[in-house]
């Protein structure tokens, strides 16, 4: 593992989901583009490839690699589940938890955040609205990321379309947990969306199709990174 | 990918589950022991490592590599799910489906078997009793594997303790599907268990702790392989 | 309990789902309309109200009352689950199982069908396509009901729009289980849809919005019942 | 509906689970014993029977009746689910949410609490440990009830065996939500357990087997009620 680039804010996390454009060899290529932007701009970009691609991506790049999910399990008889220790050994330095496409029971989010802490994985709990973001913040993850499900994949940015969702989240979360990193996501597709997200006092964005499905992911990522400095 | 050893019966499938003894570097080592036995005996042994270890294991050995699970999804917005195309590109040639520790809704088993067929992955549907084995057989997977959950991990072999479960399964499944491969599992820990399983007209075994937790996995695997010839 | 009308084919099962038009007092009123049609035509109509309305409906009418779901559990520590014995005591004589809006794991369908048999409840397993209908038929429920999910609630009848789905189901299911009752559903909204369904060798229909959301449920039910005789 | 006894603290909620001793006719009898104790002691006792028994119990007694669960759904196409409006019309005045035997995704707990509020049902969110209790408290339910799962059904009371779990919960929850009612449960089987629970600054208990499986539920309930006054 070579993830030598430090996790720092502002941060852009690129969720590869199960897009064919970001599977296998193409996952490595996309991660390399992200790494190139990080090298050029010194802005932290993390990538979250599929489970089977974590090792290959983590071997190829020095930027932070996240799992898309881990299960609240201990080593043992859990066929078909995702073990924190295994993603860690494969080279991941963090994990998404409770993404809207992979939601967990509340007690399992709690257990998974604790497990990530024990395994020394950065935990990013995804939430759908301000009240749930406050609930997540009490569990002391490293990152809370607010993504209104109805905007995911639309290209309509949460930071533009629903700024009050972001500001309510920041207010509620900060009241409970002053140190957690707050991201927003859903529809983020232009540098301007990133700039507004930071202006609303988040510390970065969680993005997927805006990068993965872009004609030129490198250019958009570069635009995102540059926008964090404006 | 180098999985050049043909899938043939009798077959021994070793499920690595989420055992630390079969995670990461140790997954590769265990797969290499299985490959050694295959080379020495010409008996087909397949291994089912965790998702994150599939690529590494498939790169290291020439025996068949199975995923422990795939999701009934198409490429796209399925964060934290397991895409057939991704495990295929990582080097898997087959997948377990509906393991008792990762059970699926009936319609999802149907969809997953069809997906495996389209993706050219060998499908092994795991079932808990004879009536469910018959239901699974109607879906035309490549393999049906019967594992009474109450015996999993006990060291008490299904082929010895509940031979009627195996013979009922074989009878019901054969009445519906003459060509499907039938395996049995749960508690398989000695060569004798394998010999009896084949005598009961299964074509192999699905094994986990009996190998993974063994002091000397190579010796037990060799004993298993030799027993298929008795 | 007064369910003295015998379960017989052809049968029309009306699923009340969670429609407000079929909740509480209105559930009783709708069941009474179904009972009226049964009295006038001697065609068996069963109703499947919500759990909380089973007792009230079963007390008010003599036609068969079904639960919409039961859980594969034994009496005991299962807070929030639906116990077969409890729906039976409340007056239900049967239950839907695995409706597309309440799907179960395969092993749970098997366990629930067995539980219904032990509790003397008529079991109606809902399925989404012909291959799944065959799988369900091996489990020996009393009824298999095929409902392509994409047509549910559309008013476009499966028997008209996808007759091959119905005929394939009948063929596959009859090859496995000569005695199971076969129903079809999804989009059934006119008497003609019912007539075609029976012509395709099903023995009745499972209907929901076509009756529950109708301006005059009595008239449509009467039309359905009359159509079974043409 | 006659639930004319006001919801007030201290409160004892009796969860009937799916015990045969509290199903159907016996559910009514047990509720009547609870009502008798309320009349004698003026201590608020609520009962949570199975869904199918809500209407019958609510009709028979004047004490508060809770559902054991409701689903985060709107009226419509949700076969086999539990609609807030339906349990309300059946006579329930509140509902358990996220019981350890019926856990929900975090976003669903949030949606269900909001739904209960809109439907004018008292919401009681069950939690397994102090950190999860804090998360639940941010969602502003009426009641948070802490029940360590490992003590449920043991007869070993949480208030005696793990007082620090209760005090940690009270401290964390009060820091977030000064007005929420806090209960504790698991293993509560003697009046002394209730007395200690209140001393630890909870406002009541959630109990199941301690009452339902008791030889003389009336006597134990009376002992519980009397203990709230010591």
């Amino acid at each position: 593992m070579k993830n030598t680039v430090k996790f720092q804010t502002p941060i852009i996390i690129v969720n590869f989901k199960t897009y064919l454009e970001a599977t296998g060899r193409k996952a490595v290529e996309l991660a390399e583009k992200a790494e190139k932007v990080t090298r050029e701009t010194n802005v932290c970009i993390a990538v979250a490839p599929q489970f089977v691609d974590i090792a290959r991506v983590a071997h190829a790049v020095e930027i932070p690699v996240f799992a898309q999910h881990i299960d609240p399990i201990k080593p043992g008889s859990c066929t078909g589940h995702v073990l924190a220790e295994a993603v860690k050994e494969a080279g991941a330095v963090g994990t998404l938890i409770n993404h809207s496409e992979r939601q967990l029971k509340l007690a399992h989010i709690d257990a998974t955040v604790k497990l990530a802490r024990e395994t020394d994985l950065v935990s990013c709990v995804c939430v759908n609205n301000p009240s749930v973001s406050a609930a997540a913040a009490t569990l002391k993850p490293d990152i809370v990321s607010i993504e209104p499900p109805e905007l995911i994949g639309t290209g309509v940015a949460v930071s533009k379309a629903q700024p009050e969702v972001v500001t309510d989240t920041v207010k509620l979360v900060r009241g409970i947990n002053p140190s957690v990193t707050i991201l927003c996501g859903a529809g983020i597709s232009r540098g301007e969306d990133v700039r507004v997200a930071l202006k609303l006092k988040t510390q970065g964005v969680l993005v997927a199709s805006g990068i993965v499905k872009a004609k030129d992911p490198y250019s958009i990522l570069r635009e995102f990174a540059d926008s964090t400095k404006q």
Side-chain angles (χ1 to χ4, degrees), chain A:
Chain A
M1 189 194 8
K2 304 186 296 175
N3 305 103
T4 53
V5 176
K6 295 287 280 223
F7 173 85
Q8 61 183 28
T9 58
I11 187 169
I12 297 162
I13 303 182
V14 185
N15 178 2
F16 288 12
K17 297 195 174 183
T18 51
Y19 289 118
L20 283 184
E21 295 85 348
T23 294
R25 185 178 48 78
K26 292 181 178 172
V28 173
E29 290 170 6
L30 183 53
E32 287 170 343
K33 287 172 187 165
E35 185 185 41
K36 183 166 188 282
V37 174
T38 285
R39 289 210 168 120
E40 291 166 355
T41 62
N42 207 28
V43 171
C44 184
I45 302 177
V47 291
Q50 291 170 65
F51 306 127
V52 294
D53 294 328
I54 289 174
R56 197 170 167 183
V57 168
H59 190 260
V61 298
E62 296 189 347
I63 56 176
V65 176
F66 276 54
Q68 293 178 14
H69 163 83
I70 58 171
D71 283 300
I73 57 164
K74 294 289 179 188
S77 296
C78 298
T79 301
H81 289 76
V82 181
L83 184 67
E85 288 87 344
V87 305
K88 177 84 179 178
E89 181 170 346
V93 300
T95 185
L96 305 183
I97 295 170
N98 194 49
H99 188 276
S100 69
E101 294 156 10
R102 192 73 166 91
Q103 291 182 63
L104 301 182
K105 293 170 180 175
L106 172 54
H108 286 176
I109 299 176
D110 177 56
T112 306
V113 168
K114 287 170 178 164
L115 197 56
R117 200 177 297 136
E118 290 163 16
T119 326
D120 199 23
L121 288 168
V122 173
S123 55
C124 174
V125 176
C126 302
V127 293
N128 59 319
N129 67 29
S131 56
V132 171
S133 70
T138 65
L139 303 175
K140 304 196 195 325
D142 298 297
I143 308 172
V144 168
S145 179
I146 170 87
E147 290 195 297
E150 66 275 19
L151 294 180
I152 292 178
T154 60
V156 178
V158 59
S159 47
K160 298 296 282 286
Q162 303 187 355
E164 74 288 357
V165 167
V166 178
T167 50
D168 285 358
T169 294
V170 170
K171 192 177 161 192
L172 277 171
V173 169
R174 279 288 163 261
I176 283 166
N177 186 327
S179 63
V180 69
T181 295
I182 304 175
L183 308 184
C184 69
I188 306 290
S189 48
R190 298 180 309 154
E192 172 70 2
D193 304 332
V194 177
R195 198 185 60 72
V196 174
L198 296 181
K199 200 176 161 196
L200 297 173
K201 297 198 187 301
T202 69
Q203 292 141 288
V205 295
L206 177 56
V207 61
S209 62
I211 298 297
V212 178
K213 306 283 276 188
K215 281 186 187 170
D216 183 355
Y218 163 77
S219 298
I220 306 290
L221 268 174
R222 178 66 199 253
E223 185 183 321
F224 279 22
D226 290 341
S227 297
T228 65
K229 300 178 177 178
Q230 291 167 353

